Amino acid sequence: MKPAPFDYYAPATISEACQLLSEASGGATVIAGGQTLMPLLNLRMSQPFILVDINNTAEMKGISAVDGGIRIGPATRQYEVLESELLVERLPLLVEAVRHVGHHQTRNRGTVGGSIALGEPAAELPACAVALGATIDIASVRGTRQVPASEFYLGPFMTVLEPDELVTGITFPAWPAGHLPLFSELAQRPGDFALVGVVGALALEAGKISRAGIAWMAMGPTPLKATAAEQLLLGKSLAEIDPQAVAEAAVAETAPFDDKRTSAEYRRTVGARLLARALRELTAQGEAA
Amino acid sequence: MTNMNAPEEKSAGILTGKYIGQRVHRKEDPRLLTGHGQFVDDVSVPGQLHVAFTRSPVARASIVSISSDYAREVPGVHAIYTQQDLADFNVDMISFFLASPDVKTTPLADGRVAYVGEPVVMVIADSRAIAEDAASLVEVEYAEETPLITIDDARHGAPVHPGREDNIAAQMGEEEIDEDLEALLQAAPHLVTHKVVHQRISQSPMETRGVLADPEGPKELTLYITCQSPHMVERWTSLALGKPDMAIRVIAKDVGGGFGLKNHPWKEEVAVILAALKFRRPLKWIEDRYENLIGANQAREQEMTLQVALDNDGKLLASHGDYSCNNGAFPQLSECNIAVHMFVWGAYKMPAYGFLTRGWYTNTVGYAAYRGPWAMESLVRETALDVAARRLGIDPIEIRRKNLVTLSEQPTESCMQIPLEDVTPAECLEKLLGYFDVDAFRREQAEAREQGRYLGLGIAAYIEPTGSAGAIATMTGELAQVRIEPTGKVTATMSTHSQGHGTQTTMAQIFADRLGVSYEDVSVFEGDSSRGGFSPGAAGSRQGVIAGGAAILAADKLAEKVRTLAAHLLQVEAAAIAIDAGQISVAGNPDKSISLGELANIAYGEPDRLPPGMESGLEAQHRYQPPPMTFASAANACVVEVDRDTGFVKIQRWISSEDCGTPLNPAVVEGQVSGGLAQAIGMVLLEEVGFDERGNPTAATYKDYMMPAISDIPTFEFVHANTPSQSVGGMRGVGEGGAIIGAPTLVNAIADALAPFGEVEVNLPLTPAKLLSVMEGRDLTPPKVVAPVAVEPVAPAPVAEPVPAADATPAGPVVIDGDWKMILSTPMGPQEMQGHFETSGDNLSGYLSSPEGQMEFTGSVVNGNNLVFDLKVTKPMKITLKYNLLIDGDKISGKCKMGIFGSAKLTGERL
């Protein structure tokens, strides 16, 4: 053991977990897969007084069809997404996205909720939640609330979660059968967080786009929904899409940053190309079909 | 150099055998692959305590106060030490070459800190966690100063080390370009000036540094330490501690990579060793990854500008190189990398070359070696040749064909007077071109460009001195000790050490073949200083070459004894004896045979049956002293596609054509080359240790320090272009070649792909943003770090003592005669020597003496206070040392011109 000292609890239920978080008055951290937290604890970059381990909390696990969509328990391992026939059929974007989350080894432990709650702006799953219009289910001793993913993120590694609150589920709305996923990410090494990336889904009704959800990774302090681009897509057939115009509209809504790895201008330039490229591929698919 | 030490035997060609040259399974793998390797942290001894360090959060400051009051109260804390507590040991932090450091270097900070992460205080506690709890409660007050971070900062800033004149850690060569050379450069039809900036690299071994120091009473010390040679660590520790009467045993069974970082202990390891001796308990410290990325010494961070003059046909005419290296604050050796210059044109027909090479002190963690420490020579040369080829409109292959020294032109000498007898880069290149269809690629490249896809081909060639021995104290021969046990099994102990090199395997292959036993019956032991004998271990691509030769010679001695004994017992001629698969047989006499086990039983247990005078037992050893250097050569080719939209590089193919002489085990050879190439890919595309303007590391975890992963590495193709070397067995070293030739090969491929857009600045790593910037013609890279802002006035630079000008005439009469203590700043570190001068009128004679011996000179001339004399030396190679010294009272200073090594500074005083 190398971390700073902490008290350890492994509650069996959500209400017990909430009780612990409430009593900790902000001194607790929730651990699920630990793929981000364990290194931070060992390097003492994170030093909570209390560690609430939700791996024994059965209610926090599993992928299930619910009224009007699919609910994923936050303690569900990332690899389970890859093996879920339900998701492969109904939300193929999530399956594609998880392939880019870390590596085999980290996906065996890492959880969906961990990635969602961490709030890394360059991560795949938060962007998917925003693009697909997911709702984050939150509980505390004070009650429960549902927050749209697009309002869940406040900044890098910052969310609306209060210190006593726990993510208890991620609920994705139903998308029409046969909708088209869109995923394009540039990471310096496979499995890394995105240098820049875009995810989305397009639903067609009678050959026209009836529903569009697009969100950026690493193009601002949070995953960003490309609302103007979505508007440009609605009502068009795949053949009518102007990939360049959509991409430019989508980039116009972003606020990328310079960091050690690359510049904001690189992110804007390449982000637009990634989205345009992905849309052209969809268009080609449309023509082939 | 070749006449310095005649090799004991000449190679007979490429060796092959039942095992030698075969891809036998590695003896190390069963234990490593089932989790039974033994690394430092796997070892525990009764009563051990744990260590954690309080490290400096600032890059440059004086320490105002240290308070451990709160830390001491943490339950489980046993002791808290600062440098004051360790000062009695007066440890000498010597270099790999056993030279004392140029700047006072202590295990813990001594009143000042000079880099972020410098260990200041150490805590000894029941567990690592408790030690860290307490370390975080140590309060240190710092008076911060403006740090110098970059080489450019060092050129202009106040000295990092108070009392020094400047930040030059080491310097070789001439500050002014020689007039004749300058004339050649300027008169040439083409002059290419090419600059390479290499980022700082973390050696980043999978097993971080770590030590378990176990003092067994006042006179014995056992160290479990991850290192590149237990023998080297034992020697270093004994000398550094000044404890010749202490029995030191160093054990490192398995090592998770060294790469140059683990040649010998440094600050933290030494602090743990001293603290264990002082506290008289076993102490363990295992570096965590954060500590490794900020506090372990680092490598590269070099800049080099190479001028290359060519004629219209691309023939080389003259060249000049200017090299700088960031040595950090406390380098493991004051590095100015003379090897960069010795080998920059080593295999090319370059008529004239001059250089200046400097290492700079900065407020960053110190320099240590990294696989292929002089790799810059190949990077700057091979990329400059491609720039020249593009400018002259010549094919990059042609420019190499025109200038490389071919085998048929040897023996000859390089422009740095290095004898070349059997280097084969030109032959490696031809073999590569026989395998890879360049014309087909160029057609594919042209077609792709029409579609807006940018493919590139990079070709590079190089030579590298490997298996160096005999010229430097620590670069010795290697020892093999082998015995046939009474059971008939073979046991060997070696001076080698594996960091994954597979020496247990390759040496066993040799013993099995040479002794006529099966590979399974051979066990090789290393990794413990109480076994085998001294060698620097995994350093300088030497083990296959030298230890391989030692294993052959030791085995041959033992086989000879077996034959003599067998002939005696079976009453036949020794020449008729054959040994195979552990069975001794007699040619033409199938009835007479004896197993090796039966023979061994007699050799050990029935001395009466031995021939008169024969020593009982079946044991032999040999320390092999090879030729001073054995050159390895290679040519590589790599094909990339650079994505026009994103600047991402995809490596499509990579072909290595290398001459490693006898490949003891081709799989081990390919593993060595592949690992080196993977490191090169990391250097060119991904890895970078960075600092902000205050000297804070910006890549302190593996999220930011991007190592290449398996997904970033292509499947390498191998074309072995082997020719036997002159060492016994014919091996050549392959430990570092991949890391050296990989970088220019990949850079050249990227530059070739982007040639339609312009030249690519070689400023590593070549990130997607940099490459996209070239293709877009606009800057898409993130803003550079801004110049440091002074938070407090810089400590005034200490006033340097005036250096006597050449024509200065001292006021009083000059007293020359007598003894002088003098220090010469050589590329191997400062060399202390005593000078004795006698004058008779204007005639000067005398001698210089050092631990290496005494060299006399006569017939020189004194001119006032100016002494000019020459000394001829044969080590490390035949050169004439030209001294030009000035005496000012009781001080002496000046220069020594050391042939190809350029000039070195000398300072001293009267004894």
Side-chain angles (χ1 to χ4, degrees):
Chain A
M1 283 290 281
K2 201 168 160 298
F6 52 78
D7 291 336
Y8 173 84
Y9 296 94
T13 63
I14 289 173
S15 70
E16 274 177 64
C18 289
Q19 195 62 39
L20 286 163
L21 291 176
S22 171
E23 286 164 8
S25 314
T29 294
V30 175
I31 185 164
Q35 295 307 291
T36 301
L37 187 57
M38 280 309 298
L40 293 179
L41 290 174
N42 277 331
L43 297 176
R44 297 188 171 220
M45 291 171 182
S46 173
Q47 301 195 8
F49 296 113
I50 294 167
L51 209 57
V52 178
D53 182 345
I54 58 165
N55 284 298
N56 294 344
T57 316
E59 311 162 72
M60 299 283 272
K61 297 180 183 175
I63 301 166
S64 52
V66 292
D67 212 16
I70 291 173
R71 179 185 175 278
I72 302 181
T76 304
R77 308 284 174 205
Q78 289 153 3
Y79 83 90
E80 293 178 69
V81 170
L82 297 178
E83 294 183 355
S84 161
E85 281 177 29
L86 191 64
L87 289 176
V88 170
E89 192 189 315
R90 304 239 197 123
L91 288 177
L93 174 64
L94 277 186
V95 179
E96 178 61 21
V98 165
R99 288 197 184 102
H100 297 261
V101 178
H103 308 269
H104 275 293
Q105 293 88 334
T106 62
R107 290 195 291 261
N108 286 338
R109 286 293 299 172
T111 63
V112 174
S115 175
I116 292 284
L118 182 65
E120 157 69 72
E124 293 83 1
L125 291 179
C128 289
V130 168
L132 295 172
T135 303
I136 315 296
D137 306 324
I138 297 169
S140 72
V141 292
R142 295 175 285 123
T144 61
R145 58 178 177 141
Q146 281 76 43
V147 177
S150 56
E151 294 168 21
F152 182 73
Y153 297 102
L154 300 176
F157 308 104
M158 285 189 292
T159 68
V160 300
L161 277 184
E162 297 293 336
D164 65 342
E165 287 184 318
L166 180 67
V167 172
T168 56
I170 303 101
T171 306
F172 291 89
W175 277 74
H179 74 272
L180 303 170
L182 177 157
F183 184 93
S184 184
E185 178 185 351
L186 209 54
Q188 273 190 283
R189 297 168 301 179
D192 279 354
F193 289 111
L195 211 51
V196 52
V198 63
V199 302
L202 301 179
L204 291 156
E205 213 172 297
K208 304 282 182 189
I209 296 171
S210 57
R211 193 167 155 195
I214 291 177
W216 290 107
M217 296 177 257
M219 284 291 268
T222 65
L224 290 177
K225 198 158 163 59
T227 315
E230 290 168 359
Q231 290 304 319
L232 278 180
L233 289 166
L234 288 175
K236 298 227 168 53
S237 72
L238 289 178
E240 289 165 350
I241 294 176
D242 178 347
Q244 198 55 38
V246 175
E248 280 167 22
V251 165
E253 296 176 279
T254 62
F257 35 84
D258 292 321
D259 61 14
K260 202 167 78 86
R261 294 189 187 183
T262 198
S263 65
E265 183 53 22
Y266 177 92
R267 291 188 159 97
R268 275 189 290 269
T269 304
V270 174
R273 287 173 186 171
L274 291 185
L275 179 51
R277 212 188 251 186
L279 288 170
R280 273 195 293 273
E281 277 161 21
L282 280 186
T283 313
Q285 264 179 41
E287 281 163 8
Chain B
M1 248 178 250
T2 46
N3 51 11
M4 211 191 67
N5 255 316
E8 299 181 23
E9 282 182 29
K10 289 272 179 180
S11 152
I14 296 281
L15 276 191
T16 55
K18 189 169 167 191
Y19 300 110
I20 293 173
Q22 310 305 318
R23 295 170 188 266
V24 302
H25 287 155
R26 297 204 322 163
K27 288 206 177 266
E28 298 87 345
D29 286 343
R31 74 167 186 275
L32 292 173
L33 297 180
T34 58
H36 290 82
Q38 182 195 290
F39 303 89
V40 178
D41 206 14
D42 294 318
V43 182
S44 287
V45 297
Q48 75 183 19
L49 297 173
H50 298 264
V51 170
F53 293 96
T54 302
R55 294 174 180 277
S56 175
V58 296
R60 178 172 177 147
S62 56
I63 297 172
V64 178
S65 66
I66 299 176
S67 167
S68 312
D69 296 349
Y70 294 118
R72 236 174 268 282
E73 285 171 20
V74 175
V77 170
H78 291 259
I80 297 177
Y81 290 160
T82 65
Q83 178 55 31
Q84 269 189 334
D85 299 298
L86 305 179
D88 287 349
F89 288 99
N90 201 17
V91 64
D92 185 8
M93 302 280 284
I94 51 179
S95 71
F96 178 73
F97 304 120
L98 311 179
S100 297
D102 277 353
V103 294
K104 192 182 172 200
T105 305
T106 50
L108 299 175
D110 189 17
R112 290 180 61 78
V113 290
Y115 61 94
V116 171
E118 184 171 356
V120 179
V121 177
M122 66 191 293
V123 178
I124 298 169
D126 282 337
S127 72
R128 172 63 179 256
I130 293 171
E132 286 198 28
D133 292 347
S136 68
L137 294 173
V138 173
E139 294 171 310
V140 186
E141 192 186 335
Y142 297 97
E144 224 179 319
E145 299 164 11
T146 299
L148 308 181
I149 308 306
T150 63
I151 291 171
D152 203 44
D153 291 347
R155 287 181 210 273
H156 307 111
V160 165
H161 296 289
R164 286 186 73 87
E165 288 172 30
D166 52 34
N167 287 309
I168 297 178
Q171 175 166 329
M172 305 293 298
E174 304 301 331
E175 284 179 28
E176 303 284 326
I177 298 182
D178 178 84
E179 276 176 31
D180 297 342
L181 179 62
E182 184 65 31
L184 285 174
L185 293 171
Q186 295 310 326
H190 301 279
L191 181 61
V192 171
T193 301
H194 179 61
K195 183 174 183 184
V196 171
V197 178
H198 200 308
Q199 81 279 41
R200 182 179 285 233
I201 291 293
S202 163
Q203 290 87 343
S204 219
M206 192 180 290
E207 183 189 21
T208 53
R209 292 182 301 162
V211 58
L212 168 57
D214 186 5
E216 294 155 14
K219 295 292 180 194
E220 290 178 49
L221 173 68
T222 300
L223 298 178
Y224 299 88
I225 182 168
T226 178
C227 63
Q228 292 173 219
S229 161
H231 302 283
M232 179 70 202
V233 172
E234 182 222 308
R235 182 174 177 180
W236 191 95
T237 306
S238 178
L239 294 172
L241 268 60
K243 292 208 177 294
D245 59 340
M246 182 179 276
I248 300 172
R249 181 179 175 193
V250 178
I251 301 171
K253 185 174 177 189
D254 289 309
V255 173
F259 308 116
L261 178 63
K262 298 175 181 174
N263 274 320
H264 58 79
W266 203 238
K267 278 168 162 273
E268 289 87 343
E269 294 117 307
V270 175
V272 172
I273 293 167
L274 299 184
L277 292 172
K278 184 180 171 77
F279 198 68
R280 290 179 293 204
R281 286 277 292 269
L283 297 184
K284 184 190 258 192
W285 170 69
I286 303 295
E287 183 176 58
D288 69 26
R289 188 57 67 185
Y290 173 74
E291 289 182 292
N292 180 259
L293 286 172
I294 71 159
N297 284 346
Q298 297 167 345
R300 303 289 200 267
E301 196 175 353
Q302 306 151 335
E303 314 175 344
M304 185 161 174
T305 300
L306 189 68
Q307 297 184 69
V308 187
L310 307 101
D311 72 10
N312 287 321
D313 297 329
K315 196 167 155 287
L316 296 168
L317 299 176
S319 177
H320 182 269
D322 184 345
Y323 167 93
S324 276
C325 177
N326 188 333
N327 275 214
F330 301 109
Q332 269 183 230
L333 64 156
S334 292
E335 204 272 347
C336 65
N337 213 336
I338 183 65
V340 163
H341 295 291
M342 286 173 72
F343 299 108
V344 68
W345 293 112
Y348 284 84
K349 285 170 262 184
M350 171 59 80
Y353 179 62
F355 67 89
L356 172 62
T357 170
R358 282 182 287 205
W360 300 89
Y361 289 119
T362 63
N363 292 110
T364 59
V365 65
Y367 171 92
Y370 187 51
R371 199 176 192 180
W374 53 82
M376 177 58 98
E377 49 81 28
S378 280
L379 178 58
V380 75
R381 175 194 64 242
E382 293 299 313
T383 53
L385 283 174
D386 270 31
V387 171
R390 279 189 289 274
R391 190 166 310 170
L392 273 64
I394 301 176
D395 188 281
I397 293 163
E398 280 318 304
I399 206 168
R400 288 177 173 81
R401 278 183 172 148
K402 206 168 287 246
N403 292 293
L404 276 170
V405 176
T406 64
L407 208 44
S408 63
E409 291 164 325
Q410 298 173 56
T412 182
E413 229 179 39
S414 79
C415 61
M416 300 286 277
Q417 288 101 48
I418 293 171
L420 302 176
E421 293 178 34
D422 58 0
V423 305
T424 61
E427 289 69 25
C428 289
L429 178 61
E430 294 310 323
K431 188 141 185 194
L432 177 75
L433 297 173
Y435 174 84
F436 179 78
D437 188 341
V438 174
D439 292 339
F441 169 78
R442 292 294 177 203
R443 285 192 295 274
E444 188 190 343
Q445 181 183 38
E447 283 165 23
R449 275 185 191 167
E450 281 173 20
Q451 302 158 13
R453 289 172 51 233
Y454 293 89
L455 305 181
L457 169 64
I459 300 245
Y462 97 120
I463 62 166
E464 178 200 3
T466 70
S468 148
I472 300 167
T474 44
M475 298 300 261
T476 62
E478 298 270 352
L479 177 71
Q481 297 171 317
V482 59
R483 55 187 190 263
I484 298 167
E485 306 284 5
T487 55
K489 306 273 182 191
V490 172
T491 303
T493 53
M494 300 294 300
S495 58
T496 50
H497 196 214
S498 170
Q499 338 266 276
H501 297 85
T503 33
Q504 284 184 309
T505 299
T506 48
M507 297 303 133
Q509 289 176 264
I510 292 174
F511 289 122
D513 265 358
R514 305 298 279 209
L515 291 173
V517 299
S518 78
Y519 173 69
E520 290 69 26
D521 283 344
V522 183
S523 301
V524 175
F525 294 93
E526 53 182 7
D528 181 337
S529 67
S530 69
R531 295 169 180 160
F534 181 84
S535 114
S541 302
R542 65 184 354 255
Q543 303 197 106
V545 182
I546 312 177
I552 290 170
L553 295 172
D556 289 357
K557 270 186 200 173
L558 186 53
E560 187 54 36
K561 182 169 184 180
V562 167
R563 272 191 291 272
T564 306
L565 177 55
H568 177 74
L569 293 172
L570 300 173
Q571 300 192 324
V572 296
E573 290 297 312
I577 299 285
I579 323 169
D580 184 41
Q583 199 65 30
I584 295 162
S585 58
V586 179
N589 197 339
D591 296 341
K592 290 201 169 183
S593 104
I594 182 172
S595 78
L596 207 48
E598 288 169 299
L599 186 90
N601 259 317
I602 295 167
Y604 285 94
E606 297 179 58
D608 294 350
R609 296 179 65 185
L610 308 188
M614 180 181 273
E615 193 180 346
S616 63
L618 287 178
E619 293 142 343
Q621 73 169 39
H622 195 96
R623 176 170 283 275
Y624 175 47
Q625 194 63 39
M629 268 185 210
T630 295
F631 281 100
S633 307
N636 274 26
C638 154
V639 175
V640 300
E641 176 166 0
V642 183
D643 189 313
R644 174 64 187 86
D645 286 343
T646 66
F648 267 60
V649 174
K650 172 85 185 151
I651 300 172
Q652 296 185 336
R653 281 186 77 182
W654 195 307
I655 303 132
S656 165
S657 166
E658 81 292 329
D659 180 358
C660 72
T662 293
L664 292 172
N665 182 330
V668 169
V669 168
E670 290 169 10
Q672 284 292 311
V673 176
S674 299
L677 292 174
Q679 284 176 274
I681 290 168
M683 286 187 276
V684 172
L685 298 177
L686 294 164
E687 297 175 49
E688 181 167 28
V689 171
F691 298 97
D692 70 11
E693 66 274 23
R694 303 296 308 162
N696 296 303
T698 54
T701 71
Y702 272 160
K703 188 182 177 193
D704 292 312
Y705 191 80
M706 291 194 290
M707 297 287 288
I710 190 68
S711 44
D712 301 298
I713 308 301
T715 300
F716 300 111
E717 298 163 64
F718 289 93
V719 182
H720 298 293
N722 299 327
T723 65
S725 74
Q726 297 180 36
S727 65
V728 168
M731 288 76 78
R732 301 172 186 274
V734 282
E736 292 158 288
I740 297 173
I741 197 172
T745 306
L746 181 50
V747 169
N748 280 347
I750 292 168
D752 182 51
L754 267 49
F757 300 97
E759 283 296 336
V760 176
E761 255 183 67
V762 187
N763 185 349
L764 304 182
L766 296 178
T767 59
K770 286 178 189 166
L771 299 181
L772 190 59
S773 297
V774 175
M775 293 187 284
E776 303 273 315
R778 63 190 173 114
D779 187 8
L780 291 161
T781 59
K784 306 264 181 300
V785 172
V786 289
V789 182
V791 287
E792 280 173 51
V794 176
V799 180
E801 289 202 22
V803 182
D807 57 352
T809 313
V814 182
V815 182
I816 294 169
D817 292 45
D819 291 326
W820 298 77
K821 181 187 170 188
M822 310 192 295
I823 292 170
L824 185 66
S825 304
T826 77
M828 267 64 97
Q831 212 173 60
E832 195 176 308
M833 55 194 179
Q834 192 175 326
H836 178 83
F837 303 128
E838 289 172 26
T839 52
S840 166
D842 288 346
N843 285 326
L844 174 71
S845 61
Y847 60 82
L848 302 183
S849 80
S850 70
E852 280 79 46
Q854 185 164 312
M855 295 172 297
E856 298 187 4
F857 65 92
T858 53
S860 297
V861 179
V862 181
N863 183 7
N865 65 333
N866 188 203
L867 279 55
V868 180
F869 58 93
D870 292 355
L871 280 179
K872 287 195 189 329
V873 297
T874 52
K875 272 184 159 193
M877 52 199 293
K878 263 187 169 174
I879 44 174
T880 301
L881 304 175
K882 291 175 171 293
Y883 285 87
N884 189 329
L885 307 176
L886 287 172
I887 287 180
D888 181 13
D890 289 337
K891 301 261 181 204
I892 189 164
S893 63
K895 271 184 164 186
C896 171
K897 272 200 154 187
M898 308 189 297
I900 64 153
F901 295 103
S903 295
K905 274 190 192 168
L906 183 146
T907 55
E909 57 195 24
R910 192 186 301 278
L911 279 172

